[in-house]
Amino acid sequence: MKKNFLNLGRQPIANSFLSSISKKSLESEYFYNLSISFDTKNFLVSVRRPVNPMIQYTDKYAHRASESQTMRRAFRKTASILQKKFKPKIVMEIGSNDGVFLKNFPKRKVIAVEPCKNLAELTKNSFKTYPNFWNKKLSKKILKKYSKIDLIFSANTISHIPDLRETFQGILNIISDRGVLVIEDPSLSSVIKINSYDQFYDEHVYVFSALAMKNIVSKYNLRLFDAEKISTHGGSLRYYICKHISKYKNTKRLTKILDNERNIGLNNFKTFKKFAKKVKNSKKKLVSLLKKLKSKNKKIISYGATYKSTTVFNYCKIDTNYFHYVTDTTNNKQGKFTPGTHIPIVSPEIGFNDSVDYAFLGAWNFKKEILKKEKNFIKRGGKFITHVPEVKILNK
Ligand code: JHZ
């Protein structure tokens, strides 16, 4: 049974950055209600009513996974680990974005699947790219050209696909008997631990736990045999999945992760009710801090036009009443406006200057990288604000 525990209110599509704020473009902005639920049977946390993927993954998709050094390095390292461990003949990635992971493999060994046409365009000359949504039909199409695949990788994508049956049946069609499916996604334990409620937005249809992943894949003749904690995106899990009959033994570290999730109550609805209270408090604290700074005439901006910020801004009703603008290094976000709250987005070269007193860390998951890069801002008295794990000024 699905039980709702958190309502983050009226939200736009997190990646629908507006090119203008003309009457016409404001009138056509799409909104939905972001309500989060817990399935008491398989322990899966999900967006109650997912948005249609056709309006999310278009040829205007904004996110480029290569934008941060942290992610470029993380994917390089992961590619090298997986190559050594599984020695795959072919690697297929579901949701290959701008190719940041696959470019670490020899071109001829790689198959990319990326439904956003603008992103698929970026990699199609480097390696075989299918500009399609992942589903059973596509798995069959690929099988006509290739043999079964022994490494399937997918980072920050499986959580985005509402239809789990299509996802995993497609994978079961194409994975070889010795094959491994490696999935990375933000973990539910981290979201609960650090109160990162902004991991909930339209694209994150699911925020998985190992408990939920184990239950889901077993429905499709697959088996979760290993999992490990990784630090990306504020705390993620990397899941290792194989065919049910495969030789891989379930690992001790998987048992440990599953036990830990039971201990923190990821199988218990009460945990999520408690979390929802913390989320409400976080909103109150953030708005009151911003109000206080504004009353002192401080100039506040936001750093990183993240999808996560879409949730925070719309839930907390933060717009140009508090923030002058948002800075972001991504070319195709600059000159646009944030979804729902319509704050202008500018490049850091233009916006991250001496006039800024406070910068809200929209990209809090890259705190280390950003604080290192922005030493001069901090030196001259500039301050960062975060809401994760709690609302505070970082360098008081
Ligand atoms: P970042 C996206 O979420 C969308 P977002 C997606 N749904 C998902 O699952 C996760 O990624 C993984 C900018 N930036 O990665 C670049 C700076 O401006 O936290 C990015 O626009 N300066 C697929 O959007 C944004 O911040 C910097 O120094 O929440 C970061 O976005 C750095 C490091 C980043 O993901």
Side-chain angles (χ1 to χ4, degrees), residues 320-332:
T320 45
N321 51 357
Y322 295 115
F323 293 159
H324 276 66
Y325 45 78
V326 180
T327 62
D328 198 287
T329 51
T330 318
N331 278 336
N332 66 345

Side-chain angles (χ1 to χ4, degrees), residues 14-15 17 57 61-65 67-71 97 155-157 159-160 185-186 198-199 201 203-204 233 303-310 327-330 333-334 346 348 362-367 369-371 373-374:
N15 96 52
F17 297 94
Y57 306 104
Y61 196 77
H63 178 71
R64 297 277 186 282
E67 277 306 311
S68 106
Q69 194 189 48
T70 312
M71 291 314 292
N97 198 271
N156 305 303
T157 300
S159 59
H160 295 51
D185 268 308
D198 52 353
Q199 290 288 11
Y201 50 88
E203 287 188 14
H204 285 177
H233 292 292
Y303 194 108
T306 60
Y307 293 18
K308 295 185 285 296
S309 298
T310 300
T327 62
D328 198 287
T329 51
T330 318
K333 290 184 183 173
Q334 294 162 5
V346 301
W364 54 264
N365 42 318
F366 298 122
K367 182 169 109 184
E369 177 177 341
I370 294 170
L371 262 54
K373 187 156 88 179
E374 305 300 358

Side-chain angles (χ1 to χ4, degrees), residues 206-265:
Y206 304 105
V207 175
F208 295 119
S209 60
L211 285 169
M213 188 61 89
K214 179 174 174 277
N215 289 334
I216 297 157
V217 299
S218 69
K219 289 187 197 168
Y220 304 101
N221 266 328
L222 294 164
R223 176 164 52 88
L224 175 67
F225 69 92
D226 189 15
E228 68 180 307
K229 289 185 180 176
I230 52 173
S231 61
T232 48
H233 292 292
S236 297
L237 273 179
R238 181 181 294 144
Y239 305 94
Y240 295 84
I241 294 157
C242 60
K243 276 193 173 177
H244 197 67
I245 41 104
S246 179
K247 62 172 185 177
Y248 293 102
K249 293 226 161 67
N250 289 5
T251 63
K252 281 192 185 138
R253 68 177 175 181
L254 171 65
T255 308
K256 228 171 151 184
I257 286 175
L258 292 168
D259 285 346
N260 179 53
E261 288 187 350
R262 285 186 199 101
N263 286 340
I264 58 174

Side-chain angles (χ1 to χ4, degrees), residues 3 31 92 96 115 135 144 190 208 260 277 286 333 354 363 369:
K3 289 168 93 175
F31 288 91
M92 180 180 88
S96 50
N135 52 30
K144 283 190 183 146
S190 299
F208 295 119
N260 179 53
K277 270 191 196 150
L286 180 61
K333 290 184 183 173
D354 284 356
E369 177 177 341

